[in-house]
Amino acid sequence: MIRLEHFGRQDFDLLISWIDSPALLMQWAGPHFKYPLDVEQLNHYMEGANEENAKVHIFKVFLDKTNETIGHISLNHIDLKNRTARIGKVLLGNNAIRGKGIGQKMVTEVLKIAFDHLSLHRVGLGVFDFNESAIKSYEKVGFVKEGLLRDVRKVGDEYWSLWEMSMLEDEWRGM
């Protein structure tokens, strides 16, 4: 249904077109970028990524049926000594395909890389507490809520809280 390929400079314009507000940028990437997203920031994001033994693998997501790029996801903070990493920057670019389980498939594909190829022990992620559809999706894949970081980001006049979630290798193997 989907496949992951390494994200590259040829994909910058499409990703930039998907990020149409400061709130969406914060929801997608946390504080790592400033709005508006631009080529310079993405060049910095790509430094050292997708190389052998990289601490970051950045992917674009293709819909097999149409060969269309539909999303973005990363596996970052890869620590081979402690066998840990984080999933981040999960985005389905086309609103019409949201709610169809594609986000779960994206996360599952990244977990295959994390647990089956990199032999990691733990994969974590953070998700804002109001993003109930993403939380349900992560729980269906097997992630467990670990704790709520209250009022961790200020966006406009609001504070956003963030759930920390994780999955361990034995939980992955048991699925």
Side-chain angles (χ1 to χ4, degrees), residues 156-175:
D157 294 332
E158 294 182 320
Y159 284 94
W160 291 1
S161 297
L162 181 92
W163 279 108
E164 279 294 327
M165 302 179 78
S166 71
M167 179 184 287
L168 302 177
E169 69 181 313
D170 60 331
E171 295 164 340
W172 170 255
R173 305 259 179 255
M175 294 182 65

Side-chain angles (χ1 to χ4, degrees), residues 48-60:
N50 302 336
E51 298 171 2
E52 191 165 334
N53 296 319
K55 296 195 181 306
V56 179
H57 287 279
I58 305 168
F59 302 98
K60 57 186 168 184

Side-chain angles (χ1 to χ4, degrees), residues 72-139:
H72 183 94
I73 192 168
S74 70
L75 184 65
N76 54 65
H77 300 289
I78 299 169
D79 177 344
L80 296 177
K81 179 180 182 237
N82 291 298
R83 298 178 52 217
T84 63
R86 288 183 65 81
I87 291 176
K89 297 175 183 62
V90 180
L91 178 67
L92 277 170
N94 180 343
N95 288 336
I97 60 174
R98 292 183 184 163
K100 300 181 191 277
I102 294 172
Q104 284 175 242
K105 291 182 186 336
M106 290 167 53
V107 171
T108 299
E109 290 302 309
V110 168
L111 289 172
K112 286 179 187 176
I113 294 165
F115 290 120
D116 298 342
H117 298 288
L118 296 174
S119 299
L120 299 181
H121 174 71
R122 180 184 190 282
V123 177
L125 60 80
V127 58
F128 290 110
D129 67 340
F130 60 82
N131 195 345
E132 294 175 14
S133 62
I135 293 166
K136 286 178 187 170
S137 178
Y138 297 140
E139 288 175 331

